[in-house]
Amino acid sequence: MKRLFIKTYGCQMNVYDSARMAELLAPIGYAPAETADEADMVILNTCHIREKAAEKVYSELGKLKQIKTAKAQEGTRMILAVAGCVAQAEGQEIISRQPAVDIVVGPQSYQRLPEMIAKISRGTGHELETDFPAEDKFDSLPAHKSAEGPTAFLTVQEGCDKFCTFCVVPYTRGAEFSRPVEQILAEAKGLCDSDVRELTLLGQNVNAFNGKGLDGEPWSLAKLLYALADVPGLDRLRYVTSHPRDMGEDLITAHKDLEMLMPYLHLPVQAGSDRILQAMNRGHTAADYLRLIDRIRAARPDMAMSGDFIVGFPGESDKDFEDTLALVKTVGYAQAYSFKYSPRPGTPAAALTTQVPEEVKDERLQRLQALLTAQQTDFNVAMVGRTVKVLFENPGRKEGQAIGRSPYLQPVFAEGAVGHIGKIVEVRIEEAMTNSLRGVLVHQAQSEKALAD
Ligand code: SAH
Ligand code: SF4
Ligand code: F3S
């Protein structure tokens, strides 16, 4: 038996792909390893979105090279593979920078891994695969069947045709592609048979989903959600990440109709200034975005909003940045991610001569994050005293404690809940922190009260 260690960086689509690779390699004799030291093969599933993310890969490869050399001295061979978006973006360059790497494989070619491993095992060369093959990787990869707990990711869409001027994703993941509905439903049913209660549908532009429906016509994400709502055993649905331009009327209506569609929406806007939004090629204005949020909240008044922001895009003035702060104040986010603009090789914005100095980016990021953190704390504090349904997922740090998620995706922990892992239980929220909530099980509070009476 051989051992496989996969280290995953970046977005949830990489998390999903890593699980697929593990399932693909199990039949050829690779069992999971806990660390790189005990592994015969290591895969780094990488992210290229910002410079820091990409550079991390090379420092990790340096460490792995030492392990590989030590193993070679003991007479064992370790195969080192780089997968994911750095593999796609940098290809051969990775092997030039770190010759200890045996395999470089882009996100659309994982089905080729067994063949690449076989070739490496026979010889000493390198294997490189960064084409966008005509065959669909989902047809060739094993379905996601063994979830680790009551929640699972399910990739339904991949790639991006939007070409925001700062972003590498259209180059690393290729054109927008949606999986057929039949394949998605089969995978969802399999997951729910193995006790999954909550599914998060994944896509770089998940709401641009237009996969082949059961009737042969393209189906929207809304139509897919209604079909998934009937899968036996499934209680909760989420989807991520959405683009404002693809937020169709039927999807908004689905939030009104489907109780099991959770009231949390990640809808990145990136900036609040129309000048910057245009330079980013986002295809919408700040007012368009705000109108959209009004419509969403009309359909689902308790919708918790989340987003992504970039500060210091080339040419961003103080006034532009103030517009971002103003937009954030108008929306009121439950949670959000914010980043300093990072110039990415080959993207149009990287070539602009109006780059913003690092210290200005730092200062803006601090101000934006202070505002977003305050909003997140307010959102959490407003939960105190309320009863929410929590799907418990994992044991907590303390004996008997368990951690789960509220409908609004907040982590909630409760004492004495460990027996409820995998179930949805009512919890009364007693305390709010910035990143989590503490609550008590409602039935437990009731029986304690009965005892006291
Ligand atoms: N498809 C999603 C986001 C994918 S990338 C969408 O369109 O919203 C995740 C986030 O990383 C982006 O929303 C953006 O905020 C950030 N990001 C992407 N490229 C970046 C760059 N060059 N510098 C800084 N942040 C970036
Ligand atoms: Fe990147 Fe824009 Fe596509 Fe999102 S929509 S993945 S930010 S290019
Ligand atoms: Fe990173 Fe690629 Fe995801 S660049 S964010 S791993 S799509």
Side-chain angles (χ1 to χ4, degrees):
M1 194 50 126
K2 295 196 208 87
R3 298 281 191 155
L4 168 68
F5 179 71
I6 306 182
K7 185 160 180 171
T8 309
Y9 301 84
C11 62
Q12 288 147 338
M13 310 207 49
N14 267 7
V15 176
Y16 178 88
D17 284 348
S18 289
R20 296 293 67 64
M21 285 190 265
E23 278 168 11
L24 177 72
L25 299 183
I28 60 163
Y30 284 95
E34 295 292 318
T35 63
D37 288 299
E38 59 188 47
D40 302 287
M41 172 156 179
V42 175
I43 303 176
L44 296 186
N45 194 4
T46 61
C47 174
H48 199 247
I49 201 83
R50 285 169 289 273
E51 193 181 349
K52 264 200 194 130
E55 281 309 309
K56 255 192 232 160
V57 174
Y58 288 100
S59 59
E60 190 64 30
L61 284 175
K63 289 185 217 155
L64 289 169
K65 184 201 166 174
Q66 291 181 346
I67 300 177
K68 183 173 170 163
T69 311
K71 280 187 188 259
Q73 280 159 1
E74 292 165 12
T76 44
R77 170 118 194 235
M78 186 172 106
I79 299 177
L80 195 49
V82 178
C85 292
V86 176
Q88 189 63 46
E90 297 187 3
Q92 184 67 40
E93 167 77 16
I94 298 173
I95 297 168
S96 312
R97 264 182 84 172
Q98 183 47 272
V101 171
D102 300 290
I103 293 175
V104 173
V105 59
Q108 304 310 322
S109 306
Y110 297 149
Q111 65 279 14
R112 292 216 43 228
L113 266 170
E115 190 186 326
M116 296 170 93
I117 294 169
K119 281 194 191 154
I120 289 293
S121 306
R122 284 197 296 269
T124 51
H126 301 284
E127 281 288 305
L128 177 77
E129 183 62 78
T130 52
D131 285 345
F132 290 110
E135 87 259 31
D136 155 15
K137 80 172 186 193
F138 296 104
D139 278 338
S140 333
L141 287 176
H144 187 189
K145 38 191 184 307
S146 54
E148 305 255 300
T151 63
F153 294 134
L154 204 176
T155 297
V156 302
Q157 182 276 342
E158 205 167 347
C160 182
D161 300 338
K162 303 286 189 297
F163 291 93
C164 299
T165 54
F166 52 80
C167 185
V168 293
V169 171
Y171 312 96
T172 62
R173 294 274 171 171
E176 279 179 14
F177 165 81
S178 300
R179 296 176 69 185
V181 172
E182 198 180 347
Q183 211 182 63
I184 296 165
L185 286 176
E187 193 163 323
K189 282 178 186 145
L191 286 165
C192 294
D193 282 345
S194 69
D195 295 333
V196 165
R197 311 286 304 269
E198 174 181 305
L199 281 179
T200 302
L201 309 185
L202 299 180
Q204 263 94 25
N205 283 275
V206 72
N207 60 344
F209 179 85
N210 68 346
K212 184 175 164 218
L214 298 179
D215 52 7
E217 297 297 314
W219 280 20
S220 64
L221 183 66
K223 232 173 154 182
L224 174 66
L225 288 165
Y226 286 101
L228 283 164
D230 292 330
V231 170
L234 188 62
D235 292 311
R236 287 179 163 191
L237 276 167
R238 304 181 185 275
Y239 59 90
V240 75
T241 293
S242 298
H243 194 290
R245 263 157 64 191
D246 294 317
M247 205 68 213
E249 197 57 46
D250 62 344
L251 186 53
I252 296 175
T253 306
H255 279 282
K256 196 167 167 176
D257 292 349
L258 289 173
E259 191 60 34
M260 68 194 289
L261 189 53
M262 291 292 102
Y264 172 95
L265 184 63
H266 186 70
L267 194 65
V269 64
Q270 314 297 354
S273 146
D274 288 343
R275 211 172 63 81
I276 296 298
L277 286 169
Q278 192 175 9
M280 285 177 164
N281 191 31
R282 290 290 293 179
H284 61 79
T285 63
D288 292 336
Y289 181 79
L290 293 174
R291 267 194 300 274
L292 181 57
I293 301 236
D294 284 344
R295 280 163 54 215
I296 294 165
R297 284 188 166 147
R300 182 83 209 217
D302 65 337
M303 184 70 87
M305 291 305 307
S306 168
D308 292 345
F309 296 91
I310 294 178
V311 300
F313 182 85
E316 186 188 67
S317 67
D318 286 336
K319 166 75 176 65
D320 293 321
F321 175 65
E322 295 299 330
D323 288 348
T324 298
L325 294 177
L327 178 138
V328 170
K329 284 178 193 151
T330 309
V331 173
Y333 286 89
Q335 195 269 342
Y337 304 92
S338 46
F339 313 97
K340 283 191 284 181
Y341 169 71
S342 169
R344 306 308 291 131
T347 60
L352 297 173
T353 54
T354 47
Q355 301 295 326
V356 173
E358 209 53 30
E359 58 280 12
V360 176
K361 288 189 206 170
D362 281 327
E363 197 255 343
R364 287 181 188 165
L365 187 66
Q366 256 178 35
R367 283 181 64 199
L368 176 60
Q369 288 188 337
L371 176 61
L372 290 168
T373 306
Q375 291 193 340
Q376 185 173 336
T377 307
D378 288 348
F379 183 79
N380 286 351
V381 166
M383 304 299 292
V384 174
R386 284 182 55 189
T387 295
V388 291
K389 286 187 176 155
V390 174
L391 171 54
F392 283 104
E393 293 172 42
N394 290 303
R397 248 175 285 154
K398 284 195 221 150
E399 182 83 28
Q401 196 185 57
I403 302 181
R405 297 272 183 174
S406 75
Y408 311 102
L409 208 61
Q410 298 145 299
V412 180
F413 59 95
E415 308 300 322
V418 78
H420 294 294
I421 289 174
K423 299 196 185 94
I424 296 173
V425 180
E426 291 206 316
V427 175
R428 202 183 63 233
I429 303 304
E430 304 230 299
E431 192 186 352
M433 281 68 70
T434 299
N435 294 309
S436 62
L437 302 170
R438 185 182 61 76
V440 289
L441 300 177
V442 167
H443 77 83
Q444 189 172 316
Q446 280 164 350
S447 50
E448 274 163 18
K449 186 171 177 296
L451 279 177
D453 292 345

